[in-house]
Amino acid sequence: MRRLAAISAAMMLSACTPLMVQQAGAPPMGFQGPRLENDVFVSFDGARLGLTRWDAEGEPRAVVVALHGMNDYANAFHLAAPYWAKNGVTTYAFDQRGFGRSPNRGIWGGDELMVEDLRTITAVVHNQHPGVPLIVAGESMGGAVAIEAFASDRPPAGDRLILMSPAVWGWSNQPLPYKTMLWLAARFTAGKVYEPPRWLTNRVQPTDNHEELRAMGRDPLMVWGARSDTLFGLVAMMERAWQAAGAVKVPVLYIYGANDEIIPKEPAFEAAARLKPTDRSAYYAKGWHLMTRDHQGPVVWEDLLSFIRDPQAPLPSGAPTIPGSPTQPNAAVEAEGSRKVQAGL
């Protein structure tokens, strides 16, 4: 009993130990305000975050602000964005705090700071492209950030939102052993970096595009592994996104792949079920987690381009809606979509 009491006391004390989360900095002397430079997005507090842009051929008919996933960076959109550029869409992708070229790599940026960065860049991009539709596209963790932002009382200056397998695997859906171990690790070994074991990386794949996986593995800007307090922060973010999916204040297109091994079907379907009836969704039989980088990526690029141009336009693939979602069907090409699904598209 004494040993149990000592362990309980230690756990209660450790619960008071703050997890490491980045804080907004003080703007430097002579700060000129948020802006876009050549390969840098200067945010509201003067933080210089990595930026990649793909300019439309000719005057842009739409602009996309793109948010990458966990341990990734702006290069996540290096396949889709050039296709969109050829079709009149300019894409701005930035490295969120703690990732890629941005400062404090490996330290969790925190929901509040990451959401504020999104609000800031959409305001800057909106000012640079007045009158041009602005679409936010979030992949995985980026989707969770975007959900929180657009469900808040201060949504970003975006006209619509694309969610690509958003990270919605929060506390409500995590197995009890997982969340118990993570809770303990985040408090007793907060700074320890955990890398996925080789047996797991061989079994769980984010995409069927192995050439892309090899390129990611060689890329020094990718982050491999994560601190336990970063993982704790991510799961908390995913929980909030899972709960808030139906509160987004702009039209949504939510896409998910049947072969996704990163975000399980149950939380993904539950989040999609919360969408507004006027929202859209698409379910790809050959889709994995990194859907714009899968072998069937061009199919997804074209569907997303259709939504970027017109939120009510039929999706060229005819992909069915996500099971259980209340979203409107892609009626104009429903029959063709059923044929393609049967064929294993």
Side-chain angles (χ1 to χ4, degrees), residues 117-135:
D117 286 334
L118 176 57
R119 291 191 185 110
T120 303
I121 193 170
T122 54
V124 172
V125 171
H126 178 74
N127 289 337
Q128 288 205 2
H129 300 277
V132 178
L134 191 157
I135 297 86

Side-chain angles (χ1 to χ4, degrees), residues 135-136 158-162 248-253 276 278-280 307 311-312:
I135 297 86
V136 172
D159 297 294
R160 42 193 174 271
L161 174 61
I162 294 170
V248 171
K249 299 173 176 64
V250 296
V252 173
L253 172 61
K276 307 182 294 294
T278 52
D279 289 333
R280 311 283 300 280
F307 183 80
Q312 297 302 321

Side-chain angles (χ1 to χ4, degrees), residues 196-205:
R198 185 172 294 276
W199 65 265
L200 181 61
T201 56
N202 288 337
R203 282 183 51 193
V204 177
Q205 298 292 332

Side-chain angles (χ1 to χ4, degrees), residues 60-81:
R61 289 179 283 170
V63 293
V64 170
V65 171
L67 298 175
H68 63 80
M70 179 71 175
N71 288 350
D72 213 334
Y73 71 110
N75 195 57
F77 303 95
H78 77 105
L79 295 177

Side-chain angles (χ1 to χ4, degrees), residues 244-331:
V248 171
K249 299 173 176 64
V250 296
V252 173
L253 172 61
Y254 186 131
I255 68 172
Y256 183 76
N259 303 300
D260 195 320
E261 296 182 348
I262 306 300
I263 303 299
K265 286 183 171 61
E266 182 177 357
F269 288 2
E270 288 173 353
R274 292 189 167 94
L275 295 173
K276 307 182 294 294
T278 52
D279 289 333
R280 311 283 300 280
S281 72
Y283 185 63
Y284 297 91
K286 281 194 172 180
W288 292 65
H289 186 63
L290 304 179
M291 282 180 285
T292 65
R293 289 175 274 182
D294 293 346
H295 283 309
Q296 69 142 28
V299 173
V300 176
W301 309 343
E302 191 175 6
D303 278 0
L304 299 188
L305 177 64
S306 178
F307 183 80
I308 288 166
R309 289 172 166 171
D310 178 357
Q312 297 302 321
L315 303 182
S317 73
T321 59
I322 294 175
S325 72
T327 54
Q328 51 184 314
N330 191 20

